[in-house]
Amino acid sequence: MDTKYEKYILTIANEKNMTRAAKKLYISQSSLSYYLTKLESELGTPLFFRKKNELTPTRAGRLYVDACRRIVDIHEELKEGLAQLNEKTNIVISSTSIWGMQVFSEIIPKLKNDFPDISFSLSQTDITFLQEALDEGKIDMALLSIGPKNKLTASMEILRQEEVYLAVPENHPYALAHPDDTEITEEAFAEAFQNEHFLLSHKGTANHDLADRLFSRFPKEAGYQVYDVNGIPLTLSMVTKEMGVSLIPRSGRLKDYPVRYFSFVPKLHRYNAIFYNQAIPLNKPEKVFLHYVRDYMKYAQ
């Protein structure tokens, strides 16, 4: 049972603005506007008045919003009831990124205190095997990062967007020629780094997807090379030794490495998300974990 579209209508009603609603739902404004227009056409009546960038429900809209709210409430009650049949004594949670490990260190002690009879198994899983591991029941939940939003699936919930920086050795010619607050455009990046060595996680990961987008701006004669490196500490160590440059997320800007970081213009982002099988009701410990993660990510830098 999918209540995605009912939640679209509830969010529009709550935000009273299409731009804010789309941002909260992590979809484009054009997609949300198209859905509402199509729905109103199918129903044969407008659901919202449009006045000076404000949307307010019509009489039909109030009826529809109330119906959507009841459907979502029934769905949540059903999931909660089914979750009581899904009690576990061990919950397996995986992470593909360094920020996920940071979350574990903050949240798991609180969970152990809340649920002393439940054990939590923490693992690190390659992002390319997450869906398979989830479907086979090898993991219950996972924290991961994705690059473009088109890789978002129904099993993922975006928690925040995280800036990704260009990381270069302190003695790199670009670092020597530019102050710390320099912002680099994608065009300037293509000109300055088209013949560089890039130290990146393997294809399919968020940072590699973002790098591929940047590489598409390189001229055909560009001589850049890409080397697969597993893990941010190792990547930063290799950057420090001037073996290449890299893309590093904000959560991966570790101390004690003599590396310079530059922001892109427009800013380059990846998305931190939580991954779980939304067709299977969460039990109480899993719900509390999800609540703690959402709360933590609101204030995480």
Side-chain angles (χ1 to χ4, degrees):
M1 182 178 180
D2 189 354
T3 58
K4 177 176 71 174
Y5 295 114
E6 286 79 7
K7 290 177 180 177
Y8 281 6
I9 296 300
L10 291 177
T11 304
I12 293 172
N14 290 336
E15 297 297 324
K16 299 181 180 180
N17 178 278
M18 194 67 72
T19 300
R20 290 197 300 268
K23 186 175 181 180
K24 195 164 186 177
L25 292 164
Y26 291 100
I27 62 173
S28 68
Q29 180 181 338
S30 59
S31 297
L32 188 59
S33 297
Y34 174 78
Y35 167 71
L36 179 58
T37 301
K38 184 172 180 289
L39 176 62
E40 290 177 326
S41 177
E42 291 174 354
L43 295 174
T45 184
L47 297 179
F48 292 90
F49 294 114
R50 280 84 164 168
K51 295 180 181 179
K52 295 181 180 179
N53 294 323
E54 183 178 36
L55 298 173
T56 56
T58 62
R59 184 178 179 184
R62 290 195 296 272
L63 290 173
Y64 199 89
V65 168
D66 287 343
C68 288
R69 188 172 291 112
R70 289 197 299 273
I71 291 171
V72 171
D73 287 345
I74 290 170
H75 182 238
E76 292 303 316
E77 289 175 10
L78 176 61
K79 286 174 64 176
E80 188 168 341
L82 292 174
Q84 295 177 6
L85 306 176
N86 185 34
E87 295 300 330
K88 302 174 184 175
T89 58
N90 181 63
I91 297 173
V92 181
I93 309 173
S94 184
S95 174
T96 66
S97 302
I98 191 168
W99 69 268
M101 306 309 293
Q102 295 165 350
V103 170
F104 286 164
S105 67
E106 292 288 333
I107 290 178
I108 294 303
K110 292 198 294 183
L111 277 174
K112 290 294 293 180
N113 184 63
D114 293 339
F115 303 98
D117 296 329
I118 301 294
S119 63
F120 297 90
S121 298
L122 309 180
S123 65
Q124 190 163 10
T125 304
D126 191 293
I127 191 171
T128 55
F129 301 111
L130 271 183
Q131 186 66 60
E132 179 183 347
L134 191 69
D135 291 342
E136 294 179 357
K138 295 178 180 178
I139 61 173
D140 299 303
M141 309 178 88
L143 302 175
L144 73 156
S145 295
I146 56 174
K149 277 188 182 178
N150 60 15
K151 286 204 167 186
L152 184 68
T153 72
S155 296
M156 298 178 191
E157 173 187 331
I158 292 180
L159 299 167
R160 70 171 179 187
Q161 65 178 18
E162 181 182 21
E163 186 173 359
V164 176
Y165 301 84
L166 172 65
V168 303
E170 281 190 334
N171 293 323
H172 190 281
Y174 187 88
L176 295 174
H178 296 84
D180 286 336
D181 58 353
T182 300
E183 295 181 323
I184 183 169
T185 65
E186 294 185 7
E187 292 78 8
F189 171 81
E191 181 177 349
F193 292 92
Q194 61 182 277
N195 295 310
E196 268 291 355
H197 291 171
F198 287 89
L199 311 170
L200 300 169
S201 49
H202 64 77
K203 271 194 172 295
T205 58
N207 286 12
H208 206 119
D209 287 340
L210 294 173
D212 283 342
R213 193 187 85 190
L214 295 172
F215 295 160
S216 68
R217 292 186 173 272
F218 286 177
K220 291 182 179 179
E221 64 273 14
Y224 73 97
Q225 296 185 51
V226 177
Y227 299 92
D228 288 351
V229 182
N230 185 24
I232 286 178
L234 177 58
T235 301
L236 290 176
S237 178
M238 294 176 71
V239 171
T240 298
K241 294 176 182 177
E242 302 183 12
M243 297 178 68
V245 302
S246 187
L247 298 180
I248 298 294
R250 184 180 181 87
S251 59
R253 292 177 54 167
L254 305 180
K255 297 179 181 179
D256 303 323
Y257 288 92
V259 172
R260 295 276 302 281
Y261 298 97
F262 297 95
S263 290
F264 286 90
V265 181
K267 291 189 182 302
L268 199 63
H269 290 107
R270 69 178 190 174
Y271 296 91
N272 300 154
I274 188 165
F275 185 82
Y276 59 97
N277 192 336
Q278 298 188 25
I280 299 176
L282 299 179
N283 59 28
K284 189 173 181 179
E286 291 169 334
K287 285 183 179 179
V288 173
F289 174 75
L290 184 57
H291 168 75
Y292 281 158
V293 171
R294 288 169 176 160
D295 193 55
Y296 175 87
M297 297 301 284
K298 285 180 184 178
Y299 307 103
Q301 295 298 317

